[in-house]
Amino acid sequence: MTPQAVAGTWSRRHLLDVDELSRGELEALLDQAVALRECRAAGTLGEVAALHGQAVGLAFYEGSTRTRVSFELAARELGATVVNLEVAGSSVPKGESLADTLRTLERTGIGTVVLRHPASGAPYLAARATGLRIVNGGDGTHAHPTQALTDALTLREVIGPLDGRRIAIVGDVTHSRVARSGIHAFSTLGARIVVAGPPAWVGGFGRWPGVVVAPSLREALDGADAVMALRVQLERAAGGGVSSLGEYTAGWGLTEERMAWAAPGAVLMHPGPTNEGVELTAELTASPRSLIGRQVANGVAVRMAVFSSLAS
Ligand code: CP
């Protein structure tokens, strides 16, 4: 792949969620991620330098390891100057609003901000209130578009095109922005989606077009080509939904034995961070069917593709 072949094929000022992307746009982004990954491995990204002379801000109002680090690496690999807003040490604790904080970054010359925020919808407000290009790094329980792209790329590379494939998403779906964006991306790419978990954690998903709510883990996994476990989000669940983590694990925790209910060769995914022993066993995390490490590794390539595709 030549650096000239990886120019952005997709043209939007923001990436707020994947529900705004057509199948063609999703596939173009994934293809571009693969091309940029090859350039990175070949040491030719300097010839792409899509962000040369630009400044990218990372404004993470919630903790992150995978998303923040891979966005930072992606921006640097493409030639940007990266500014990490250390929220705790910024003027945010003095009461500065999100809009004022982002306008301040804009006035310093930053053109693109990756925003992670506990409030669903915060990136939409940011896109309206500033002239910045906004990339959603995860907002509340609403959306995590680059995680969905990373997961879609990982699945496509391991099990092939998603048309007609069955993907089971298990656990705390209600509080999961990963699940919402994943459902949009996977179904746009042709997959069939089944969700399962404690009743309070799957409420409402039966009304999503094309999504089936399974009444038990066994029925969710039956015939699944891929199984995605979600983190039990104790910070958002506030104790609702299950009476104890032990009860959750007994009913919904994934083990090698339970994965036998899925299709032969089914793969295991988890967006991370995992609560090992709760959503899944350590044995399963380390098993050959686990794509968890690959999901993380693909994050840099996908985020390079997003940056290099944003319109100016
Ligand atoms: N999957 C995910 O968003 O992980 P981080 O919170 O570590 O970024």
Side-chain angles (χ1 to χ4, degrees), residues 98-115:
L98 174 64
D100 281 344
T101 300
L102 295 179
R103 285 189 202 111
T104 300
L105 297 184
E106 185 179 1
R107 286 174 188 133
T108 65
I110 288 173
T112 303
V113 163
V114 182
L115 177 63

Side-chain angles (χ1 to χ4, degrees), residues 60 63-68 116 137 144 147 177-178 231 271-273 303:
F60 278 60
S64 168
T65 300
R66 292 151 200 77
T67 312
R68 194 191 59 73
R116 170 168 288 193
H144 195 344
Q147 182 71 46
R177 57 195 176 207
V178 171
R231 183 170 70 86
R303 287 159 181 129

Side-chain angles (χ1 to χ4, degrees), residues 1 19 38 42 51 81 90 109 118 192 205 210 212 237 250 268 280 283 308 311:
M1 187 66 65
D19 63 353
E38 288 175 13
L51 301 187
T81 299
S90 73
R192 296 176 296 138
F205 280 89
V212 171
L268 170 82
L280 73 182
E283 176 200 19
S308 61

